[in-house]
Amino acid sequence: MTLDDYNAFCASLPATSHVVQWGGAHVWKVGSKVFAIGGWSETSSLPFVTFKCSDIAFDILKDQPGCRPAPYLASRGMKWIQRVTAETMDDEALKDYLRDSHRLAGRNLTKRERKELGLD
């Protein structure tokens, strides 16, 4: 998945917004909640993609080749994974996790925000 593919996919999800911040990271939000962060490394042409996940998914993915607990976020107890290579998570699986991250983040919005965004 290229950075353009990542941005196009995240833009296709409902009620999303995009901002470039934190040193050039492509940050996607549902309402006011971050659900995905895309960046890159000097050693790979594929972007690193960081996403929120369930407790079970975190426990499974944190030890998979090509995935790791997300720097900064996971060290603070949050269940975020960073895919650094497609070794064990192909692009279709990544899209599934991004959809779930979007759903999890949206669930943390207030009832009023969800209604205003058409998520209820």
Side-chain angles (χ1 to χ4, degrees):
M1 177 179 289
T2 67
L3 189 59
D4 289 340
D5 295 336
Y6 158 80
N7 283 327
F9 179 76
C10 290
S12 74
L13 298 172
T16 59
S17 61
H18 173 253
V19 64
V20 177
Q21 61 187 57
W22 303 323
H26 289 254
V27 178
W28 283 91
K29 299 178 182 182
V30 55
S32 61
K33 303 292 183 182
V34 173
F35 73 92
I37 304 166
W40 49 93
S41 117
E42 295 89 35
T43 61
S44 174
S45 61
L46 296 176
F48 287 5
V49 177
T50 304
F51 55 89
K52 182 181 186 86
C53 59
S54 69
D55 292 348
I56 293 170
F58 182 83
D59 287 341
I60 293 168
L61 293 173
K62 68 181 181 180
D63 297 319
Q64 296 299 309
C67 294
R68 64 183 181 187
Y72 183 78
L73 297 167
S75 68
R76 283 158 176 67
M78 295 182 245
K79 304 300 181 184
W80 284 72
I81 289 290
Q82 186 174 74
R83 183 186 89 158
V84 294
T85 71
E87 189 173 346
T88 58
M89 182 187 298
D90 65 16
D91 289 350
E92 290 309 308
L94 176 59
K95 288 177 184 178
D96 288 339
Y97 282 110
L98 289 170
R99 279 185 202 96
D100 196 48
S101 181
H102 177 272
R103 181 188 61 78
L104 290 168
R107 199 169 65 184
N108 288 329
L109 295 169
T110 65
K111 189 172 186 173
R112 180 179 176 182
E113 284 178 289
R114 287 193 309 271
K115 185 175 181 173
E116 287 173 358
L117 294 169
L119 296 174
D120 278 342

